[in-house]
Amino acid sequence: MHTSLNGLVAKLDEQYGFTPPLAEFAVSNPYRGIREQARHVTYLGHEKVSAGFLGLGSVECHRLALKGPEADAELWIAVGDSLPRKLVATFHRQGNPQVRIEFTEWNLAAPVTATDFTLHPPAGAQKVEMWTTARMQAAAAKKH
């Protein structure tokens, strides 16, 4: 069964009972998804962000602070092309784990074919059954 890019996250949640980390960026309008997740958005002004570890200079960005139920984040959006350039998210759980991502080398015209999404497992690979979140929680409950 095929689904659109926008339906991918919902399909994964429906089938497996989880949402992949940073799924907000895997849709056609990431800003709408991010805004729906954030309780508060604060504009922090302009800031130059390194264009990556490749020494590509820096990019002038809008800097946003996002506060949400699962995490608080800062997001840098390029002034010139409105693409995300950097994200730092701190999650509201024990230890306050943090993820830092730099988005570099955007190619919005990359050629994509169906074969790009065809699995070619290496020799000797074994299929692992993916459990839903509900199934994992049920298994954990049985152990206690």
Side-chain angles (χ1 to χ4, degrees):
M1 172 175 277
H2 297 286
T3 189
S4 69
L5 179 61
N6 291 334
L8 176 65
V9 175
K11 184 73 174 167
L12 288 171
D13 188 44
E14 174 189 315
Q15 187 167 346
Y16 298 107
F18 85 104
T19 301
L22 303 174
E24 295 83 4
F25 289 98
V27 294
S28 64
N29 186 346
Y31 302 111
R32 181 183 311 143
I34 290 168
R35 184 61 187 109
E36 289 171 358
Q37 293 289 324
R39 289 183 189 152
H40 302 284
V41 178
T42 304
Y43 183 71
L44 301 175
H46 281 205
E47 184 175 310
K48 287 196 176 206
V49 172
S50 169
F53 60 90
L54 300 173
L56 301 174
S58 61
V59 176
E60 186 74 23
C61 292
H62 298 286
R63 183 175 169 206
L64 305 172
L66 311 163
K67 301 239 181 248
E70 299 293 323
D72 293 337
E74 288 190 40
L75 178 63
W76 288 259
I77 307 294
V79 170
D81 58 20
S82 298
L83 292 171
R85 298 302 175 146
K86 182 178 177 181
L87 172 75
V88 177
T90 304
F91 294 88
H92 306 303
R93 34 183 91 114
Q94 185 176 357
N96 295 319
Q98 194 174 72
V99 62
R100 294 172 177 262
I101 298 172
E102 287 186 18
F103 301 93
T104 61
E105 300 184 51
W106 282 98
N107 181 354
L108 301 180
V112 179
T113 65
T115 58
D116 292 328
F117 297 94
T118 303
L119 177 64
H120 301 287
Q126 295 180 3
K127 185 175 182 177
V128 175
E129 180 183 4
M130 185 164 177
W131 284 18
T132 65
T133 301
R135 187 172 175 187
M136 286 188 286
Q137 289 169 342
K142 285 182 184 178
K143 289 184 179 181
H144 297 299

